[in-house]
């Protein structure tokens, strides 16, 4: 069974070890993607055999309705149009940087520029993800 421990802020988990107690190939990790409108459900799953998966959402680090932690430097205002982003990359630093970039650029462009796999959930409920990566995205939204 993989070992899991919290690392950093409450939104970070580090998992290592074999996944011998499930149907997944050894070393595979499936990560549920939290619904930004309802933290008790997932809107999808990403499957990864290596690296890191990070997410960023407008329902975290908020100060008032519509006021969240992702700011557009051109306007000084919180970004709108995107509810949440996720990226899978060789390391957590790159995956985290990609989640922020995804609030400003589409997943295909970010994926190709940074070498990550990416998913964006828009405010209208639509989702877009990179198609040429090594990880498998299952989106239920």
């Amino acid at each position: 069974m993989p070992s899991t421990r919290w690392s950093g802020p409450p939104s970070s988990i580090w998992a290592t070890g074999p996944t011998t107690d499930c149907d997944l190939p050894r070393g595979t990790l499936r990560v549920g993607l939290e619904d930004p409108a309802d933290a008790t459900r997932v809107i999808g799953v990403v499957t990864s055999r290596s690296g890191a998966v990070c997410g960023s959402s407008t329902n975290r680090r908020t100060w008032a309705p519509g006021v969240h932690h992702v700011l557009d430097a051109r306007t000084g205002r919180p970004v709108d149009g995107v509810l949440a982003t996720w990226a899978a990359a060789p390391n957590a630093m790159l995956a985290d940087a990609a989640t922020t970039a995804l609030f400003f650029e589409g997943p295909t462009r970010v994926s190709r520029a940074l070498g990550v796999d990416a998913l964006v959930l828009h405010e209208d409920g639509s989702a877009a993800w990179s198609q040429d990566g090594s990880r498998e995205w299952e989106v239920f939204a």
Side-chain angles (χ1 to χ4, degrees), residues 17-78:
T19 53
T20 57
D21 61 334
C22 62
D23 296 333
L24 296 172
R26 183 177 175 88
T28 301
L29 184 65
R30 287 175 49 89
V31 178
L33 310 175
E34 180 185 287
D35 181 344
D38 181 356
T40 65
R41 33 176 259 130
V42 297
I43 59 119
V45 176
V46 61
T47 303
S48 181
R49 291 190 50 83
S50 64
V53 176
C54 290
S56 185
S57 178
T58 59
N59 72 334
R60 303 290 180 189
R61 298 184 190 151
T62 61
W63 295 272
V67 182
H68 56 80
H69 71 291
V70 183
L71 302 177
D72 186 332
R74 299 167 294 194
T75 65
R77 310 241 345 118

Side-chain angles (χ1 to χ4, degrees), residues 120-128:
V120 175
L121 179 64
H122 298 281
E123 285 180 349
D124 67 4
S126 65

